[in-house]
């Protein structure tokens, strides 16, 4: 029975197979079949014959023919590879490849310096670059290689150094511009780039004598309040009793990012002034001038313009390799340093010259900087008698110079008795001539401690010092070059130490010892508890800036590090400014060209990291209601607020044509409106009647209202202090709270804050539909590719990858569109953004610095009652949670 069933099943199977064969054609057309397959065979042969990747013909050989030293005879290769090998040999460079030098040859000092000079043609190295490169993360910025941060975790350690000991930073990338000429002409020309309403100018009485360093804000020539360039510090050469000439000397320190722009505007401002003077003199002396004289004068004017244009070209090419046709180049030691390009010009009686990379500037921050400087710097003994072969013997041969040196020594001895730099006069300038710090170096690294036995006499510090105290020989360019050239090398100094009779004792070189002129500048730090910084200690961030001639950087840097001064980088400067509650340049100056460039750089970096992540591992900013997660649309925000308040005609400006309010009088007036109208202690009766009889903060001040109506396109710098919880981050929104939000805060002071609703992402359905179509397309392409060549399938897969990447990038909102509503993008009206935020270690809470629009601030002040502090809502770009924060004006 079983055998019968098996036989029956096989018979049925055969019958089914016979039915399939009946459907096949009775005959096959061979020619037609071959023609259809010919294209596929050709594509397959082409694919197999091509060399895939960047491999050479020698790398495509079978394993049996591979050799370490293969013969160049092409006939030794297989026939299928000979044609490709001939093409490679014909395209190969016939010149013999030079053998690289050995490591022993490359590590010779001379060859090392040549290699270092070659590597810093594009980006200039600081003199302490080798020291920093071993211990820091370096970054290429503004034409320099700048130390960014230490490789170890040192954020809290650097804060402890600024709070209790000493933090040292190399700010030698700051560019110095020297101006020489009559005082009245200098002040007249510089007045085109400053404004008295922003604070100090170059004509400040406290700084004009040279006893103090000044700080000001520079603008383009006659374009205030627009056209901001950047902040600058300036220093006048002191006028001693023996100086009877009217020529003054001025140093202006600017950021390297705006160095070109400052030089160009200086040229424009002084050229305009010179043309005015020439026209006045020509009108008064027309009868005396002949035709020949006028022709000569025109030729001189043409020559001046030609010289200025050449100087501008030199300035633009200052970061590139210098040409051989330049004049006024400083002397260069063969193979020891890079050649420097100078920008030098003269307009009338005013001479301008760039001292870029010719001065070294260190910044020592913290109360311990006083002890570090007192133990490192020792005033040199000047004996001008005898032969005058040395520079200091010639310089101090005059009686008034020798007397000034004695006064500097006495004043420095009194300064060293102070326990902190905060006790010294703010921005005091002190000139000294000190000994070589390498001779006074301790054997091991020891921490500098202040002298507890010395009594401090603060009455001496309160008295105004004489101008001779601030005088220094570093102002003379010839003396700076002599000090650099006569420096004893480390090898010579170490040889003298090894030959010393008593090891461990300091060397006594006498007249052979180098004398270095320096300038010390006091930095007061935060001297008050204003601007909402209730927890910041007074004089936090105080210290000293030291200016040294070029070539002596490493000698002083190592000496300071041997006294346990902790080294910091650029990020430490930003964190220090955040702890002090001040804006850091260029991040905190969005209306300058350097600030806008920094914002674009940060936007590209964050956008690149965002696009690399898959959609499930990154925030969906469309659902969060954030239109600008990586950039600050200041121009669009200002324009939309003007349109909302009906001031679009007055705000008639192009995109990005805004400015930051720096009028000290107006900022103080707005701060008074906020601080004078608030009362933090609320009784139960005031809580109940707070919103019934609401009176706005602007009810008693018409000056702020009138200023806001006439200046709708300005941004106001503010500080944000969190009320309870939360830590503001960069790009966070600053919004106006509703009356319900304020009532909730009054009833529950520990309230966390309202929540933002989840916004609908309209593109989710489209994304799902695209995924379905892609899956179907892949199945269809797999079935179709069964009869296609491999090259066609590769092209199809490549196009699918491009579509996927474009879909990923389309998830991010298009923030560059002007039609995007920035104000009402969420449930609370946005008035500004946080520029720099984070947790403040000194206060223990989250703080942030940012900007709000003028019209948005007026709307906020009009909606907050009198008895409440000026409260805003802050929302980070990756959160739905709003947090309560108090707003303070930065002034």
């Amino acid at each position: 029975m079983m055998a019968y069933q098996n036989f029956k099943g096989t018979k049925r199977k055969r019958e089914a197979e016979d039915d399939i064969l009946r459907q096949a054609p009775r005959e096959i057309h061979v020619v037609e079949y071959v023609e259809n397959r010919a294209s596929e065979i050709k594509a397959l042969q082409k694919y197999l014959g091509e060399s895939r990747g960047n491999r050479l013909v020698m790398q495509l050989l079978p394993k049996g023919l591979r050799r370490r030293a293969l013969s160049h005879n092409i006939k030794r290769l297989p026939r299928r590879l000979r044609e490709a090998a001939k093409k490679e040999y014909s395209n190969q460079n016939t010149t013999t490849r030079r053998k690289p030098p050995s490591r022993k040859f490359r590590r010779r000092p001379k060859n090392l310096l040549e290699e270092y000079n070659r590597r810093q043609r594009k980006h200039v190295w600081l003199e302490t670059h080798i020291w920093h490169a071993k211990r820091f993360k370096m970054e290429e910025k503004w034409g320099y290689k700048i130390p960014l941060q230490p490789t170890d975790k040192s954020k809290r350690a650097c804060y402890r150094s600024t709070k209790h000991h000493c933090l040292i930073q190399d700010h030698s990338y700051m560019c110095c511009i020297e101006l020489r000429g009559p005082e009245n002409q200098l002040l007249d020309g510089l007045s085109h780039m400053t404004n008295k309403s922003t604070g100090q100018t170059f004509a400040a009485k406290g700084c004009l004598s040279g006893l103090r360093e000044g700080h000001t804000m520079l603008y383009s020539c006659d374009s205030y309040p627009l056209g901001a360039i950047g902040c600058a510090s300036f220093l006048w050469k002191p006028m001693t009793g023996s100086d009877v000439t009217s020529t003054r000397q001025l140093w202006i320190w600017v950021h390297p990012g705006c160095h070109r722009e400052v030089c160009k505007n200086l040229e424009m401002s002084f050229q305009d002034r010179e043309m005015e003077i020439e026209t006045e003199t020509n009108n008064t002396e027309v009868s005396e001038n002949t035709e020949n004289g006028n022709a000569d004068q025109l030729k001189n004017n043409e020559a001046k313009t030609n010289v200025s244009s050449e100087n501008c070209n030199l300035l633009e090419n200052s970061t590139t390799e210098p040409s051989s046709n330049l004049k006024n180049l400083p002397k260069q030691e063969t193979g020891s340093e890079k050649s420097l390009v100078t920008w030098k010009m003269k307009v009338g009686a005013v001479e301008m010259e760039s001292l870029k990379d010719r001065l070294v500037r260190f910044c020592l921050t913290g109360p311990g900087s006083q002890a570090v400087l007192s133990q490192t710097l020792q005033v040199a003994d000047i004996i001008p008698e005898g032969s005058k072969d040395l520079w200091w013997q010639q310089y101090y041969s005059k009686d008034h110079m020798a007397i000034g040196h004695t006064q500097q020594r006495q004043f420095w001895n009194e300064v060293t008795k102070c326990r902190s730099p905060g006790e010294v006069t703010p921005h005091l300038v002190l000139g000294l001539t000190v000994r070589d710090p390498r001779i006074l170096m301790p054997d091991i690294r020891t921490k500098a401690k202040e002298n507890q036995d010395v009594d401090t006499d603060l009455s001496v510090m309160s008295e105004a010092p004489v101008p001779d105290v601030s005088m220094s020989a570093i102002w003379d360019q010839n003396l700076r070059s002599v000090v650099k050239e006569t420096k004893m090398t480390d090898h010579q100094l170490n040889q003298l130490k090894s030959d010393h009779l008593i090891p461990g004792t300091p060397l006594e070189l006498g007249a052979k010892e180098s004398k270095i002129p320096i300038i010390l500048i006091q930095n007061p730090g935060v001297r008050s508890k204003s601007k909402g910084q209730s927890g910041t200690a007074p004089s936090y961030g105080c210290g000293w800036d030291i200016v040294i001639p070029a070539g002596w950087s490493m000698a002083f840097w190592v000496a300071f590090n041997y006294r346990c001064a902790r080294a910091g980088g650029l990020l430490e400067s930003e964190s220090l400014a955040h702890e002090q509650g001040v804006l850091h340049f260029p991040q905190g100056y969005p209306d300058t060209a350097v600030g806008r460039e920094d914002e674009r750089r940060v936007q590209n970096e964050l956008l690149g990291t965002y696009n690399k992540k898959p959609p499930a591992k990154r925030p969906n900013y469309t659902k969060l209601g954030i239109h600008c997660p990586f950039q600050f649309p200041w121009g669009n925000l200002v324009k939309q607020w003007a349109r909302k308040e009906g001031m679009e005609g007055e705000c008639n400006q192009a995109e990005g044509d805004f400015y930051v309010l720096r009028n000290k009088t107006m900022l103080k007036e707005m701060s008074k409106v906020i601080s004078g109208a608030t009362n933090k202690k609320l009784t139960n009766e005031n809580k109940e009647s707070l919103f019934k009889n609401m009176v706005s903060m602007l009810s008693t001040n018409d000056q702020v209202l009138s200023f806001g109506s006439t200046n709708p396109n300005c941004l106001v710098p503010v500080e944000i202090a969190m009320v309870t919880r939360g830590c503001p981050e960069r790009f966070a929104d600053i919004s106006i709270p509703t009356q319900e939000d304020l009532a909730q805060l009054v009833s529950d002071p520990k309230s966390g804050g309202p929540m933002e609703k989840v916004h609908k992402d309209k593109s989710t359905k489209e994304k799902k539909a695209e995924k379905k179509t892609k899956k179907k397309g892949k199945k269809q392409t797999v079935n179709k590719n069964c009869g296609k060549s491999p090259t066609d399938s590769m092209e199809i897969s490549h196009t699918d990858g491009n579509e996927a990447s474009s879909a990923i990038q389309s998830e991010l909102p298009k923030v560059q569109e002007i039609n995007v509503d920035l104000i009402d993008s969420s449930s609370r009206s946005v008035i500004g953004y946080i520029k720099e935020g984070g947790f403040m270690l000194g206060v223990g809470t989250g703080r942030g610095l940012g900007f709000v629009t003028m019209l948005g601030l007026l709307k906020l002040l009009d909606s907050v009652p009198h008895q409440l502090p000026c409260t805003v809502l802050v929302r980070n770009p990756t959160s739905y949670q709003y947090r309560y924060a108090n707003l303070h004006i930065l002034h």
Side-chain angles (χ1 to χ4, degrees), residues 203-213:
K205 293 182 179 180
C207 306
L208 200 58
S209 61
L211 294 175
R212 294 185 182 182
E213 185 188 37

Side-chain angles (χ1 to χ4, degrees), residues 575-691:
S575 61
L576 176 63
H578 179 66
E579 291 289 338
Q580 290 179 329
V582 296
L583 296 170
H584 186 262
F585 189 85
Q587 290 85 359
Y589 292 76
D591 57 340
T592 62
V594 196
R596 290 190 290 269
E597 182 65 28
D598 185 77
E599 289 182 356
R600 285 192 292 269
R601 179 187 60 82
V602 173
Q603 177 189 357
N604 295 332
E605 290 178 359
L606 296 178
L607 190 60
T609 55
Y610 179 85
N611 290 331
K612 290 178 182 178
K613 297 179 181 179
K617 302 299 181 182
R618 62 187 183 187
N620 191 339
Y621 292 109
T622 305
K623 292 184 177 181
L624 289 166
I626 301 295
H627 285 297
C628 49
F630 305 131
Q631 70 173 358
F632 300 98
W634 303 115
N636 295 346
L637 187 64
V638 167
K639 196 171 184 178
Q640 291 181 13
W641 266 106
R643 186 187 307 164
K644 185 176 183 180
E645 298 296 326
M647 297 182 183
E648 189 175 4
E650 299 178 4
C651 186
N652 205 1
Q653 87 274 359
E655 183 181 359
D657 195 8
F658 61 93
Y659 69 94
V660 175
L661 179 63
R662 296 185 178 90
N663 191 329
K664 298 292 184 181
T665 305
M666 199 65 227
L667 290 174
K668 290 180 181 179
E669 191 67 26
M670 296 173 66
S671 182
K672 287 181 182 179
V673 172
I674 294 177
S675 61
T678 59
N679 182 15
K680 295 183 179 180
K681 295 182 180 180
L682 297 175
T683 60
N684 294 328
E685 298 177 356
N686 292 334
K687 289 181 181 180
E688 295 177 358
S689 62
L690 185 61
F691 299 99

Side-chain angles (χ1 to χ4, degrees), residues 311-322:
N311 289 326
C312 286
N313 294 332
L314 296 183
L315 184 65
E316 292 175 358
N317 300 327
S318 59
T319 57
T320 59
E321 188 176 1

Side-chain angles (χ1 to χ4, degrees), residues 434-660:
V434 298
R435 298 178 60 187
D436 192 342
R438 297 174 294 177
I439 298 176
L440 307 173
M441 193 87 68
D443 296 334
I444 58 175
R445 196 166 183 260
T446 55
K447 186 174 182 180
K449 297 182 180 179
E450 61 182 14
N451 192 359
Q452 302 288 344
D453 300 335
V454 179
D455 296 332
T456 305
D457 188 7
L458 297 179
S459 62
V460 179
M461 295 294 101
S462 61
E463 298 177 357
V466 294
D468 292 337
V469 172
S470 303
M471 192 62 188
S472 177
I474 199 175
W475 288 94
D476 193 345
Q477 184 176 0
N478 297 326
L479 291 182
R480 291 199 302 268
S481 60
V482 170
V483 171
K484 182 178 180 180
E485 293 171 0
T486 58
K487 176 189 175 183
M488 187 180 295
T489 63
D490 293 342
H491 174 70
Q492 295 174 353
L493 196 62
N494 293 333
Q495 190 68 29
L496 292 174
K497 288 182 179 180
S498 62
D499 298 339
H500 197 44
L501 294 177
I502 306 175
T505 59
L507 293 174
E508 296 294 339
L509 301 180
K512 295 182 180 179
E513 183 181 343
S514 300
K515 310 291 192 297
I516 307 102
I518 64 171
I519 291 179
L520 292 174
I521 304 170
Q522 196 268 354
N523 184 12
V526 180
R527 299 190 62 86
S528 62
K529 296 181 180 180
S530 61
K531 298 182 289 188
Q533 299 177 4
S534 57
T536 304
S539 70
Y540 169 75
C542 62
W544 291 92
D545 286 9
I546 178 172
V547 182
I548 312 168
W552 284 90
S553 182
M554 279 303 299
F556 284 87
W557 183 265
V558 174
F560 291 143
N561 276 272
Y562 261 67
R563 270 78 180 185
C564 290
R566 189 176 187 88
L570 187 62
L571 292 185
E572 278 70 30
S573 298
E574 297 177 6
S575 61
L576 176 63
H578 179 66
E579 291 289 338
Q580 290 179 329
V582 296
L583 296 170
H584 186 262
F585 189 85
Q587 290 85 359
Y589 292 76
D591 57 340
T592 62
V594 196
R596 290 190 290 269
E597 182 65 28
D598 185 77
E599 289 182 356
R600 285 192 292 269
R601 179 187 60 82
V602 173
Q603 177 189 357
N604 295 332
E605 290 178 359
L606 296 178
L607 190 60
T609 55
Y610 179 85
N611 290 331
K612 290 178 182 178
K613 297 179 181 179
K617 302 299 181 182
R618 62 187 183 187
N620 191 339
Y621 292 109
T622 305
K623 292 184 177 181
L624 289 166
I626 301 295
H627 285 297
C628 49
F630 305 131
Q631 70 173 358
F632 300 98
W634 303 115
N636 295 346
L637 187 64
V638 167
K639 196 171 184 178
Q640 291 181 13
W641 266 106
R643 186 187 307 164
K644 185 176 183 180
E645 298 296 326
M647 297 182 183
E648 189 175 4
E650 299 178 4
C651 186
N652 205 1
Q653 87 274 359
E655 183 181 359
D657 195 8
F658 61 93
Y659 69 94
V660 175

Side-chain angles (χ1 to χ4, degrees), residues 111-122:
N111 300 329
L112 267 180
L113 289 176
E114 290 179 356
E115 179 67 13
Y116 290 161
N117 293 330
R118 184 193 63 81
R119 288 165 57 185
Q120 55 183 316
R121 288 176 183 173
K122 185 178 180 182

Side-chain angles (χ1 to χ4, degrees), residues 14-225:
R14 290 174 184 171
E15 291 178 356
E17 290 177 355
D18 293 340
D19 294 334
I20 295 173
L21 292 174
R22 288 174 186 174
Q23 297 177 2
R26 295 294 180 183
E27 57 184 6
I28 298 175
H29 301 283
V30 179
V31 177
E32 184 180 355
Y33 180 81
V34 172
E35 288 178 354
N36 293 332
R37 305 281 83 79
S39 59
E40 297 179 7
I41 294 172
K42 287 181 180 179
L44 185 61
Q45 288 178 349
K46 184 179 179 182
Y47 177 76
L48 294 175
E50 289 180 351
S51 59
R52 295 170 296 280
N54 297 326
R55 293 184 296 175
L56 299 175
V57 176
M58 304 301 178
Q59 296 171 339
L60 297 176
L61 289 173
K63 292 183 179 180
L65 294 177
R66 293 178 186 177
R67 299 289 185 275
R68 290 182 58 192
L70 189 65
S71 174
H72 293 279
N73 188 2
I74 298 179
K75 293 184 179 180
R76 298 289 298 271
L77 297 174
R79 290 183 178 180
R80 62 183 180 85
L81 299 176
R82 289 177 186 176
E83 295 297 330
K86 287 180 181 179
K87 292 181 181 179
E88 286 186 0
Y89 279 121
S90 61
N91 297 330
Q92 190 176 6
N93 191 6
T94 57
T95 58
T96 59
R97 187 177 179 182
R98 186 180 178 184
K99 182 180 178 181
S102 63
R103 175 176 172 81
K104 183 178 180 181
F105 178 81
R106 286 185 279 115
R107 298 300 296 177
R108 291 179 182 175
K110 181 181 178 181
N111 300 329
L112 267 180
L113 289 176
E114 290 179 356
E115 179 67 13
Y116 290 161
N117 293 330
R118 184 193 63 81
R119 288 165 57 185
Q120 55 183 316
R121 288 176 183 173
K122 185 178 180 182
H123 293 88
V124 180
W125 288 2
L126 304 180
E127 293 185 11
T128 58
H129 173 82
I130 303 297
W131 191 94
H132 279 102
K134 297 177 181 179
R135 302 164 178 87
F136 277 69
K137 295 179 181 178
M138 309 299 290
E139 187 171 352
E140 297 175 354
K141 274 191 173 184
W142 312 302
Y144 285 88
K145 275 277 193 177
I146 298 177
L148 188 64
Q149 62 178 350
T151 52
D152 57 346
K153 296 180 180 180
S154 61
K155 185 176 181 180
R156 290 179 178 268
C158 289
Y159 170 74
R160 287 194 299 268
S161 299
T162 57
K163 187 71 177 294
H164 303 291
H165 189 50
C166 179
L167 176 73
I168 183 172
Q169 296 166 298
D170 191 355
H171 288 176
S172 300
Y173 54 86
M174 299 295 290
C175 305
C176 181
I177 304 172
E178 185 180 66
L179 277 72
R180 294 185 299 272
E183 182 179 323
N184 56 350
Q185 293 189 21
L186 289 176
L187 294 178
D188 290 343
L190 293 171
S191 63
H192 295 278
M193 299 178 62
T194 57
N195 194 278
K196 293 181 180 179
S197 61
T198 59
Q200 282 183 340
T201 62
F202 293 98
K205 293 182 179 180
C207 306
L208 200 58
S209 61
L211 294 175
R212 294 185 182 182
E213 185 188 37
H215 301 269
T216 186
M217 185 69 191
L218 297 180
Y219 290 85
S220 298
C221 187
D222 297 328
S223 61
Y224 175 82

Side-chain angles (χ1 to χ4, degrees), residues 174-392:
M174 299 295 290
C175 305
C176 181
I177 304 172
E178 185 180 66
L179 277 72
R180 294 185 299 272
E183 182 179 323
N184 56 350
Q185 293 189 21
L186 289 176
L187 294 178
D188 290 343
L190 293 171
S191 63
H192 295 278
M193 299 178 62
T194 57
N195 194 278
K196 293 181 180 179
S197 61
T198 59
Q200 282 183 340
T201 62
F202 293 98
K205 293 182 179 180
C207 306
L208 200 58
S209 61
L211 294 175
R212 294 185 182 182
E213 185 188 37
H215 301 269
T216 186
M217 185 69 191
L218 297 180
Y219 290 85
S220 298
C221 187
D222 297 328
S223 61
Y224 175 82
L226 300 174
I229 299 177
C231 54
S233 57
F234 59 93
L235 183 61
W236 288 92
K237 183 179 179 180
M239 291 286 292
T240 58
S242 60
D243 294 335
V244 292
T245 59
S246 60
T247 303
R248 295 296 302 274
Q249 195 171 349
L250 174 66
W251 281 354
I252 304 175
W253 297 84
V254 296
H255 194 270
C258 59
H259 176 249
R260 292 185 188 177
E261 195 173 359
V262 170
C263 291
K264 290 180 180 179
N265 282 275
L266 281 173
E267 182 183 348
M268 291 172 57
S269 60
F270 281 102
Q271 275 187 352
D272 295 341
R273 180 61 184 166
E274 184 64 22
M275 292 297 292
E276 293 176 3
I277 295 174
E278 288 179 0
T279 53
E280 291 177 0
T281 55
N282 289 333
N283 292 331
T284 55
E285 300 177 359
V286 169
S287 59
E288 298 179 2
N289 292 333
T290 60
E291 295 181 359
N292 295 331
N294 291 332
D296 294 338
Q297 188 174 2
L298 290 174
K299 290 181 180 179
N300 293 332
N301 292 336
E302 292 177 359
K304 287 180 181 179
T305 55
N306 292 333
V307 170
S308 63
S309 62
E310 290 176 2
N311 289 326
C312 286
N313 294 332
L314 296 183
L315 184 65
E316 292 175 358
N317 300 327
S318 59
T319 57
T320 59
E321 188 176 1
S323 74
S324 59
N325 297 326
L326 300 180
K327 298 180 180 180
N328 301 323
L329 285 177
K331 293 183 180 180
Q332 175 183 345
E333 299 178 8
T334 57
S336 62
E337 63 177 16
K338 58 187 177 299
S339 57
L340 303 176
V341 178
T342 60
W343 172 79
K344 188 175 183 180
M345 68 169 299
K346 183 177 182 181
V347 181
V350 177
E351 298 180 3
M352 292 177 284
E353 183 180 2
S354 176
L355 301 182
K356 187 179 179 182
D357 304 328
R358 309 188 188 251
L359 292 171
V360 176
R361 183 158 183 162
F362 295 155
C363 180
L364 285 81
T365 308
S369 59
Q370 192 78 29
V372 171
L373 284 176
S374 62
Q375 296 184 19
T376 305
L377 305 180
Q378 185 173 346
V379 182
D381 295 328
I382 303 300
I383 306 176
E385 298 178 357
S387 62
K388 298 181 180 179
D389 298 335
L390 302 174
W391 73 265
W392 47 270

